[in-house]
Amino acid sequence: MTLQIVAGSANPALAGSVAGKLGRELASAVVERFPDGELRPVVDGLQGADVYLVQPTGPPVNEHVMELLLLVDACRRAGAARITTVLPYFGYARQDRRGRAGQAIGVRVVAEALASAGTWRLIVVDPHTVALEAICAVGVEMVTAVPLLARELGAGPLGAREQDRAVVVAPDLGAVKLAEHYGALLSCPVAVVRKTRLSGTRVVAEELVGDVRDRPVVIVDDMISTGGTIEAAAQVVAGHGAAPEIVVVATHGLFVEAAVERVNRAGIRRVLVTDTLAQPAAPAMPLGVCSVAPLLADAIGRLHRDEPLDDLLARA
Ligand code: R5P
C-alpha cells in the first residue's frame, strides 16, 4: 500500500510539513464550494492507498467537521484501502458528558459520523479527554505534544535558572494530570487552582492548593479558547505572590473572542502553543509556536509500517 497524505483546508501548512517530513507530496484534493454553502471535495490518485487525512476541527468548528466528513467519504469512494483521520485538534472533544439533562454528547456524535463515513482509525494530539478511545468505535492513537512543549519551555521562555525554582500550575482540577506530566518532565512541583465555570466564556478561580510565593509560574492547559481560564488562574497565582511575568503553555491555541486581550492584560510574559491549529504570522500577543509536524510524521510513518507508538502516546 502506498502512503498518501491528504490535507483538508483547516491547516494545509501543517499537513504539507508532515508530508515533507515523510518525503511525500500532498495528494491531490480540492474542496469545491457552492453558492449555497455546500462543500464538495474531489480527491485523486488514492486507489489502494494507505491514506492519512489531516484536518484539525478548530474554528469554524462545524464547517471543518463537515468538510472532514465529506473528505473521508471522497477518499473512500476514490478506492483508498484504509483511511486514518488525523485530528491535530479534535473539536467537540469537550462535550464528553452531560452537564444537565437534555444536553447532547457532541464528541460521540462526531466520532460516530467519522466512523460511518469510512474512517478506519484516528490519530489525535492531546485530546481534551482520554476517554476518547472508549467513546470511539474505531481505534484511536492519542499522541502527546507535552514532551516537545516541555523541551521548548526549558530551552526558551523558562531558562535553566528559572526552571530550578518554577512551579507548574493546573488552572483547574481537570488539568492536574497534565500538570503532573509537565512537572515530571521539568522537575518542578505542581500547584492547582480551583475553577468554577459560570458559562462558555466566564469562569471564576478562587483557591490555590500549593505554594507559588516569589516563584516563576508556568500555567499549563490542553487548550486556550476564550482565555478565561488562563486569565482567572493568572489572577489567583498573582494574588498568592507568584513572581510576575507568568508563562502559559497549551497544546491547542484557539484564541477566540477576547482571548488575545485577556492574555495581554493578565501579565503573561509568554504563551507557548503548537501548530495543531494555524496561528497568525504576526500575533498580537507574546506567542511562541512549536510544530507538531515531526510528531505526526513519526506517528504516521510508524503506523504505515505497522510499528508501535508507545513512547508517543498521551498518558491516562
Ligand atoms: C476545560 O476543561 C479546558 O481544559 C480548558 O481549560 C478550557 O477549555 C479553556 O477554555 P477558555 O480559554 O475559554 O477558558
Side-chain angles (χ1 to χ4, degrees), residues 165-294:
R165 303 186 49 250
V167 180
V168 172
V169 172
D172 57 29
L173 295 178
V176 171
K177 280 200 176 297
L178 179 68
E180 285 173 348
H181 192 185
Y182 276 103
L185 291 168
L186 296 167
S187 305
C188 294
V190 169
V192 182
V193 172
R194 191 170 73 79
K195 165 184 107 175
T196 306
R197 182 169 285 286
L198 304 176
S199 70
T201 52
R202 290 183 60 226
V203 297
V204 286
E206 290 127 355
E207 296 166 33
L208 180 79
V209 180
D211 184 14
V212 296
R213 185 158 298 281
D214 298 325
R215 302 184 63 163
V217 158
V218 184
I219 301 175
V220 302
D221 210 343
D222 59 331
M223 67 171 80
I224 303 170
S225 182
T226 66
T229 300
I230 293 304
E231 185 184 33
Q235 284 165 355
V236 169
V237 295
H240 283 75
E245 305 203 315
I246 295 157
V247 173
V248 172
V249 60
T251 301
H252 313 290
L254 284 80
F255 302 118
V256 297
E257 299 193 342
V260 173
E261 289 86 331
R262 281 174 156 161
V263 165
N264 284 330
R265 74 183 175 217
I268 292 169
R269 179 177 73 196
R270 191 82 175 151
V271 179
L272 182 63
V273 296
T274 73
D275 60 353
T276 55
L277 296 163
Q279 298 299 331
M285 65 182 146
L287 184 70
V289 182
C290 187
S291 182
V292 292

Side-chain angles (χ1 to χ4, degrees), residues 28-88:
S28 165
V30 175
V31 180
E32 297 174 354
R33 179 179 293 274
F34 291 90
D36 62 358
E38 282 187 10
L39 303 172
R40 185 170 64 187
V42 185
V43 296
D44 282 303
L46 302 181
Q47 187 72 41
D50 184 18
V51 171
Y52 292 80
L53 171 52
V54 182
Q55 170 89 326
T57 50
V61 177
N62 297 331
E63 181 89 359
H64 287 148
V65 168
M66 194 64 212
E67 181 190 304
L68 176 58
L69 293 171
L70 295 169
L71 271 166
V72 174
D73 187 67
C75 293
R76 182 168 60 92
R77 291 175 196 279
R82 64 181 189 191
I83 302 163
T84 299
T85 296
V86 182
L87 284 149

